[in-house]
Amino acid sequence: MRHESKRARVRRILLTGVGFGLTAGVLVTFVAAKAVIDRQMKELTAKNTELQQQNEELQLQVEKTDAVENSAELLAGDSDGWSLALVNESYPLDTSYEPAQLTQIDSERSVDSRIAESLQKMMDDGAAEGLSMYVTSAYRSYDRQREVFNTTMQDWINQGYTPLNAYEETKKSVAVPGTSEHATGLAVDIISTEYEELDDRQGDTDEQKWLMEHCWEYGFILRYPENKADVTGIIYEPWHYRYVGEEAAKEITEKGITLEEYILGQ
Ligand SMILES: [Zn+2]
């Protein structure tokens, strides 16, 4: 084995050291630069997400304002907010409103075509769970609503109520024409074949229990829940489901609020 001179060895160690130092330096610089870039990317992404959220919130505010002020226009338009249109006694729907496109769900009933697929899926999934239910009421025109209202009011009058009292009594279970969600084409009454009455006990059927738990997954909400009549103006209706879109349905269900509270922030 050849003996290296002391000088050569020192030079070799020195050069190795310099080489190693250079490599380490480049690596350190690279890692540091990458960390800075990563951090900047993260900040930019966060900022972007924040702006997007602000934009979505603003958009939602616009939709909510339209939902109460312009429900017929909102329903008829292309804006995403169509499913949020608020129709109740305080915010009636233009009596001339008719859904642009209706889809027949059976020989007599139809819904706004935009909700037909979600409704069908919900009914199919319910049936697959072994449940037996059907839609008993769907889109109802202003004229039809007036007929239903007048017939119910007449029943009360026949039972001895004064017209004024009959009107007040009818209002509790039938929306005053112009204030019915059924005129939007976005609401359906679903009942169990095991129990076909429209009263509180409908809510105890397996069908309603399943619907109340799962309807939000299809963009629907139970529109008139128990103990919310002071907000909705309508008594507990464990059969009336309203399409509001999946996002709103999720939030409304999670928070246990009504469409009024969601839109008006009451
Ligand atoms: Zn209904």
Side-chain angles (χ1 to χ4, degrees), residues 140 182 188-189 237 239-240:
R140 219 183 282 147
H182 284 281
V188 283
D189 295 339
E237 287 197 355
W239 55 85
H240 181 110

Side-chain angles (χ1 to χ4, degrees), residues 4-18:
E4 236 178 344
S5 74
K6 196 178 172 188
R7 214 185 131 140
R9 214 171 82 200
V10 168
R11 197 202 291 155
R12 184 170 58 79
I13 290 167
L14 208 69
L15 282 174
T16 311
V18 170

Side-chain angles (χ1 to χ4, degrees), residues 198-255:
L198 295 181
D199 59 27
D200 285 9
R201 284 180 54 207
Q202 179 64 230
D204 301 331
T205 62
D206 289 342
E207 282 72 19
Q208 300 303 347
K209 283 181 191 161
W210 184 86
L211 282 171
M212 287 180 207
E213 195 182 333
H214 295 281
C215 67
W216 66 273
E217 295 163 24
Y218 306 88
F220 286 86
I221 55 166
L222 180 72
R223 181 66 177 86
Y224 306 118
E226 220 168 352
N227 306 321
K228 288 284 190 179
D230 54 331
V231 184
T232 62
I234 304 271
I235 54 161
Y236 177 44
E237 287 197 355
W239 55 85
H240 181 110
Y241 294 87
R242 158 70 197 266
Y243 186 85
V244 292
E246 282 174 34
E247 212 182 305
K250 187 167 188 282
E251 193 179 329
I252 288 169
T253 305
E254 275 172 0
K255 291 186 176 168

